[in-house]
Amino acid sequence: MNTALYPWQQGVWQQWQTVLASGTWPHAILLAAESGTGRGVLTRQLAEVLLCQNSETQACGLCHSCSLLKAGTHPDYHQVAPAEAGKQIGVDAVRQANRWAMETSQLGGCRVIEIQYANRLGEAAANAVLKTLEEPPAGCFYLLTTDSTDMLLPTIVSRCMVWRQPEVSAEVLEQWGYGQGLALHSDLARLYRHSPLKLLDDAGVSAETHQEVLRLVNQYLQPPYLGMTECVKALEKAGAEGLYWCHCLLMDVLKYQQGVGCDYWFHQEAQQTVVAVAQHVNTHVVIAQLTALQQLQSALSLHTGLNQSLMIAQWLTEFSKGDVSVS
Ligand SMILES: [Zn+2]
């Protein structure tokens, strides 16, 4: 048990320790894990071990290397990441990393280069990474992280040992949330299995706001179709997360309409809401609105300055333009 890690990371960590103990750590690894799973914490632990002067499997925390890492001044540890959130990693940053890779270790050990958000490498940058991975410099370890391996050049993936963060179980998440003082209901735990740390940041996620959004959406989608303004306000307040909840609710509705049992739904505690919506919105409207929602989410995440409330209102209006009532 590594107490610096989240409970869902212990499995990958144990496997890493086995490889480290065997003395066959590869020159490049790729960790595929959603950005809200704390993947940086995991790679940081690994970098500490690789650079530690006293231990092969667990950083001692006492040596010169461990002290420098703690102080954030280790000369053999380099990180590459997009300069701004949502932006790509440019080729210049990778060229700089490649120069570090060719240098001699300043502490006489190895060098570690961590490329965060490898899925955001621009084309030239990805080719520059590939060139180094094809002829890895001696004593240099590359740690790459990505949301998904699908977004990377297959030639980069094939040159790395790939590790995937297994999906976090709702039970583990609920238990962890309890320890963090979060009042999670099990629906919320199921909604955040892919990126649990979102529950900690200030993204407007709480059991109350989630329940309120569900209540207002449910009310608006049933005769007499009232409360559009409140619904828009609640969704705007909950931001990207509110739209994500709508996506999951509509996915559950679709599953219900197709006869998929509630064990496979996100909303199991709120299954009455799922059934109520499913009885008032036709399947073809659900599918069309899921597609429209995806476009709305993408537009709002890519462009700032859009009229969010107007766009949400337009999306909600589309429900009534379709054949809303089930005959
Ligand atoms: Zn150490």
Side-chain angles (χ1 to χ4, degrees), residues 156-174:
I156 288 185
V157 178
S158 70
R159 279 174 177 79
C160 298
M161 187 185 263
V162 180
W163 300 87
R164 287 187 175 79
Q165 168 67 57
E167 200 173 56
V168 184
S169 79
E171 292 74 30
V172 167
L173 193 48
E174 261 188 281

Side-chain angles (χ1 to χ4, degrees), residues 228-308:
M228 154 87 103
T229 311
E230 290 87 341
C231 204
V232 171
K233 267 189 200 156
L235 282 173
E236 206 182 1
K237 194 175 157 209
E241 301 313 306
L243 296 180
Y244 169 63
W245 301 335
C246 288
H247 166 86
C248 295
L249 175 65
L250 291 180
M251 289 300 291
D252 288 341
V253 167
L254 202 56
K255 285 177 192 163
Y256 172 79
Q257 290 174 335
Q258 295 179 340
V260 178
C262 73
D263 287 351
Y264 297 94
W265 303 358
F266 292 103
H267 296 96
Q268 295 177 19
E269 283 181 50
Q271 55 177 285
Q272 281 183 334
T273 304
V274 174
V275 174
V277 172
Q279 283 168 344
H280 289 96
V281 186
N282 271 336
T283 302
H284 71 267
V285 175
V286 174
I287 294 170
Q289 286 294 79
L290 272 167
T291 309
L293 179 57
Q294 207 169 15
Q295 287 162 357
L296 173 62
Q297 288 171 301
S298 156
L300 290 175
S301 74
L302 289 174
H303 311 288
T304 49
L306 293 175
N307 190 332
Q308 195 178 335

Side-chain angles (χ1 to χ4, degrees), residues 48-49 51-55 58-67:
E48 286 179 12
V49 175
L51 290 165
C52 177
Q53 293 162 331
N54 284 333
S55 168
Q58 190 84 41
C60 73
L62 302 167
C63 69
H64 186 41
S65 181
C66 285
S67 307

Side-chain angles (χ1 to χ4, degrees), residues 39 43 77-84 87-101 112-122 125-126 128-129 141-146:
R39 61 192 186 191
T43 50
Y77 174 58
H78 303 287
Q79 287 176 310
V80 178
E84 277 178 66
K87 292 276 163 63
Q88 286 198 325
I89 299 174
V91 68
D92 289 345
V94 175
R95 286 196 184 124
Q96 174 63 55
N98 287 350
R99 281 194 289 276
W100 287 324
V112 173
I113 295 175
E114 183 175 338
I115 301 181
Q116 299 169 346
Y117 297 92
N119 47 303
R120 302 232 182 101
L121 286 164
V129 169
F141 295 106
Y142 273 81
L143 316 180
L144 280 70
T145 58
T146 181

